[in-house]
Amino acid sequence: MTVKITEERKRLDDIAAVSRYKEGVNAATIAYASKIFQRSIQPGPILELGPAEGLMTRELVKLNLPVTTVEGAEGFCESLRQNFPHIEVVHALFENFEPSKKYSNIILGHILEHVDNPVDILRRAREWLKDGGRILAAVPNARSLHRQAAVLLGMLKFEEELNETDIHHGHRRVYNPETFRRDFLQAGLKIEMFGGYWLKPLSNSQIERDWSPELLESFMVLGERYPDIAGELYIIARR
C-alpha cells in the first residue's frame, strides 16, 4: 500500500509540474463551472477536492464560507497556501483523507476522470457530508460535439478514447452522460440535478486562436441547453 501511495503522489507531482489547467479555454471552463456550482452551494463549510492551481478556489473564497482543500500534488499545495492563507490546505490523496468535521458542500471539479476508483471516492465523499449537504461535480463529456467530430475525422477511434490532452492531464477515463450518472447511483447518492455547459464544436487551440471572450461565453451558455452533447457535464447530488 505504501508503494502505491508513493507512486500515485509521484504521478500527481509529475502532472502538476507541466500543468495546463490554468491556460486559455481551460481557465474559462473552470470559471463557468464555478458559476454553475454557486447556484447550488449552501451556507456552511466547503470541501474542495483536487483544486490544482486554485482557479475554482479563488471563486469559492469569495463566498465567505470556510474552505478546506485536499490536494495530492505537493507543489500545488505550496501555491495554494501562499495564495489563500486563510483556508485549510491538506496534502493527501483522497483515499487517505480523514476529515475532522463534515461539510455542507463538497466540490469535485474535474476530479472523477482522474482517480483510480471514482465510485469509492464518491462513497467516501458521501460520508463526509452533513445532513442535507451536497456533492457538486463536473467532468468532460465524451459525447461532446468536438469529440464526435474527431471520431468522424479518424482522430479518435471512439468517443471515450483518451486523446493527447487527456493523457497530459492524467485522465483515466472520459465519461458520457450515462456512465457519469451510473457512478453516482452506484455510490448510493441521489442525483438532484444533471446538466451540461460549454457547447464545444472545435479544439481548444482553434478556439483560442479565433474566438473572442464574448463568443466563448455564449457557447458556455448554449451548452446548458444541450447537456448530452455539451463539452462538460455536471451533477448536483445528496446522500
Side-chain angles (χ1 to χ4, degrees), residues 131-214:
D131 289 343
R134 287 173 170 156
I135 292 175
L136 307 95
V139 297
N141 182 12
R143 211 162 287 155
S144 172
L145 283 178
H146 81 290
R147 293 186 77 99
Q148 293 193 50
V151 172
L152 294 175
L153 290 167
M155 298 169 67
L156 291 176
K157 294 178 183 177
F158 53 94
E159 292 162 3
E160 287 82 9
E161 184 182 14
L162 297 178
N163 61 27
E164 184 275 332
T165 299
D166 292 316
I167 294 168
H168 179 92
H169 287 323
H171 295 174
R172 287 182 159 116
R173 66 193 58 80
V174 187
Y175 280 101
N176 62 45
E178 292 77 31
T179 56
F180 191 34
R181 288 191 289 256
R182 176 205 64 197
D183 280 3
F184 275 77
L185 297 175
Q186 287 185 356
L189 289 157
K190 299 176 182 177
I191 297 173
E192 284 192 331
M193 188 181 304
F194 165 85
Y197 59 97
W198 183 201
L199 194 64
K200 182 181 179 182
L202 302 170
S203 69
N204 283 7
S205 60
Q206 290 169 310
I207 291 166
E208 289 164 358
R209 183 188 64 206
D210 297 327
W211 287 28
S212 69
E214 294 76 17

Side-chain angles (χ1 to χ4, degrees), residues 85-110:
H86 302 299
I87 72 171
E88 180 183 8
V89 178
V90 179
H91 179 212
L93 302 180
F94 309 141
E95 295 86 348
N96 302 124
F97 177 56
E98 297 181 359
S100 59
K101 61 183 178 182
K102 296 199 173 185
Y103 299 89
S104 301
N105 312 276
I106 299 180
I107 310 293
L108 295 94
H110 298 89

